[in-house]
Amino acid sequence: MRSGSMLQLAALVYSLLSARSQYDSCKSLVNTDDAGPSWEFYACQPRAMAMKRYLRVKVEPPGVTCGNPPERFCALGNPYMCFSECDSSNPDLAHPPKLMFDQENNGPVTYWQSVTWSKYPEPLLANITLSWNKSIQLTENIVITFEAGRPTTMILEKSLNYGRTWQPYQYYAEDCMEAFRMEAKNVRDLSPVTALQVICTEDYSKWVGFENEKNLHFEVKERFAIFAGTLLQNMEALYKRMDINKGLRDFFTLTDLRIRLIKPATGGTFVQRKYLNTYFYAISNVEIMGRCKCNMHANSCHFKDGNLMCECEHNTTGQDCGKCRKNYKAKSWRPGSYNPYPMGTANSCMYTLPIFQDTCHLSIVNQKRINRKYCE
């Protein structure tokens, strides 16, 4: 087979692959009669992955993690069943923050645990901050698993600027009006107009009838469904919205996540002072699925020197591919389009031609090699 035919076949294969996975490939080889083989660029983004593998965790205030001094814990439903002890000096009895993110592999459940509410009526407050030092975009629901009852009151917050400022993501309470002066809502109550509204939900905080429920959700896919349909069958509609609505893109983007625990589970009753060792927080798992935010300019993201970094394409650079490379600033940087080609565009950075004095002249060969004739 002649080399020209081979090249055409390769171009066809590459273009078909790009069409099948529009965000996994940043470019494909095409062939035209006038210019011959060339690269055609596409918007792209990395695959989604389990983000808990790459985070750093911080629990505050100091001393809120159990074990120093050692302490015994009793079951919320049966205060006479005191089956657990926490002792930070004993690895078999310690419950440090890292156990929220370990792989249990069918072994015993491991979990982070707070101190008991022994200082009641002083509030039992704990902040759990998860940091990536990188912008990430959520792709699935956040799921937090509690081992001692889901908290009566809590707030999920996020930061877009590495923890310098915070904004509420969702409120959780047994009684939203009493806790936050907010009307209780569900994501299914939202519409395309109110899709980015921060709500308070009572779905994950009630005790009666939900004693055995452990998981608390922040609904990401349900918010996607507001635009893409119940089964997410019309993702093109969601991508179209995200292309034109920066607020929608930012809503699912974060650099840090903070779990603010305000009041532990109390079994649906008033706090009983003689059983304060039954009130505490325990989290066994936090699932966060997402992808590196690369502004549609990278199809891979790697963990290097303790940080996530986009492998930037389209002549872009930076941790999020958020600017053009040196000498590629012929037009202003822009993120790639979520819409597939040809409706959308990669918005590649373009080469900037050097500026010479009037007495000099410039010729360009193949748009890549620059020959200069300098002034004499």
Side-chain angles (χ1 to χ4, degrees):
M1 185 180 292
R2 294 183 302 174
S3 59
S5 299
M6 288 287 290
L7 198 55
Q8 290 179 353
L9 179 60
L12 177 61
V13 171
Y14 270 93
S15 63
L16 289 174
L17 286 173
S18 179
R20 284 198 298 269
S21 54
Q22 61 196 18
Y23 297 130
D24 295 337
S25 178
C26 287
K27 59 187 177 181
S28 65
L29 191 63
V30 297
N31 191 46
T32 61
D33 294 336
D34 297 333
S38 63
W39 290 106
E40 193 168 69
F41 293 96
Y42 298 86
C44 52
Q45 59 182 340
R47 295 183 182 274
M49 53 188 178
M51 284 293 169
K52 71 178 183 180
R53 301 173 186 171
Y54 309 105
L55 59 81
R56 299 178 180 90
V57 60
K58 182 179 182 180
V59 176
E60 300 173 299
V64 75
T65 297
C66 70
N68 186 22
E71 195 172 7
R72 288 188 65 79
F73 295 80
C74 302
L76 183 57
N78 184 352
Y80 301 103
M81 186 183 295
C82 299
F83 53 85
S84 177
E85 182 180 359
C86 183
D87 183 349
S88 60
S89 66
N90 184 339
D92 294 328
L93 299 176
H95 295 280
K98 66 180 181 180
L99 296 184
M100 288 184 276
F101 313 103
D102 61 335
Q103 300 293 327
E104 292 160 352
N105 298 324
N106 298 321
V109 175
T110 57
Y111 48 90
W112 165 80
Q113 188 167 312
S114 76
V115 297
T116 65
W117 205 355
S118 60
K119 296 182 180 180
Y120 177 86
E122 180 183 323
L124 180 58
L125 305 177
N127 288 344
I128 301 170
T129 304
L130 315 179
S131 303
W132 286 269
N133 196 31
K134 170 80 180 75
S135 297
I136 66 170
Q137 295 175 309
L138 301 176
T139 59
E140 302 276 349
N141 292 1
I142 296 172
V143 183
I144 306 171
T145 304
F146 289 87
E147 293 297 328
R150 297 178 294 189
T152 301
T153 312
M154 109 173 207
I155 307 173
L156 192 65
E157 297 177 323
K158 75 163 190 172
S159 175
L160 278 165
N161 54 15
Y162 308 98
R164 290 190 292 273
T165 60
W166 294 89
Q167 54 191 276
Y169 225 177
Q170 192 149 294
Y171 295 89
Y172 301 82
E174 188 177 45
D175 187 326
C176 285
M177 188 58 67
E178 179 182 335
F180 301 113
R181 311 306 300 170
M182 296 175 68
E183 179 185 353
K185 286 189 177 181
N186 299 302
V187 173
R188 60 178 176 270
D189 298 324
L190 303 178
S191 68
V193 176
T194 60
L196 306 187
Q197 183 180 3
V198 177
I199 65 171
C200 178
T201 178
E202 297 176 354
D203 287 354
Y204 306 104
S205 304
K206 293 184 179 298
W207 178 264
V208 178
F210 298 94
E211 293 91 340
N212 297 321
E213 293 289 338
K214 293 184 176 183
N215 291 337
L216 177 146
H217 290 248
F218 174 75
E219 300 90 345
V220 172
K221 297 184 76 172
E222 285 81 352
R223 290 192 188 245
F224 286 167
I226 295 172
F227 303 100
T230 305
L231 301 178
L232 302 182
Q233 72 274 18
N234 188 12
M235 292 298 287
E236 184 177 337
L238 172 64
Y239 294 145
K240 186 174 182 180
R241 290 271 188 161
M242 295 183 82
D243 249 353
I244 61 177
N245 189 334
K246 183 177 183 296
L248 185 60
R249 297 196 300 272
D250 286 348
F251 186 83
F252 300 106
T253 302
L254 53 91
T255 59
D256 304 77
L257 190 72
R258 184 161 68 186
I259 305 166
R260 287 183 55 197
L261 301 170
I262 299 173
K263 183 179 180 181
T266 61
T269 64
F270 295 107
V271 175
Q272 301 182 58
R273 289 177 179 268
K274 62 180 179 179
Y275 299 132
L276 294 179
N277 57 358
T278 67
Y279 309 125
F280 54 92
Y281 307 109
I283 298 177
S284 61
N285 194 37
V286 181
E287 285 295 338
I288 303 172
M289 289 295 296
R291 57 169 54 93
C292 293
K293 179 185 179 182
C294 300
N295 287 296
M296 309 299 285
H297 288 311
N299 65 3
S300 62
C301 183
H302 299 297
F303 198 58
K304 295 180 178 178
D305 301 323
N307 291 300
L308 287 166
M309 290 287 295
C310 297
E311 297 290 331
C312 299
E313 303 273 1
H314 305 156
N315 300 314
T316 63
T317 188
Q319 193 177 24
D320 299 343
C321 306
K323 58 184 179 181
C324 291
R325 289 171 51 201
K326 184 180 179 180
N327 298 329
Y328 285 86
K329 300 179 180 179
K331 61 179 183 178
S332 299
W333 176 92
R334 289 180 60 196
S337 169
Y338 277 87
N339 279 316
Y341 184 88
M343 292 181 290
T345 174
N347 289 325
S348 299
C349 292
M350 304 299 292
Y351 187 78
T352 306
L353 296 177
I355 299 176
F356 297 91
Q357 297 178 6
D358 292 340
T359 53
C360 302
H361 67 272
L362 169 71
S363 65
I364 303 174
V365 179
N366 294 331
Q367 297 183 346
K368 291 183 179 180
R369 189 175 73 253
I370 299 176
N371 297 327
R372 303 172 181 174
K373 183 176 181 181
Y374 293 96
C375 301
E376 298 178 355

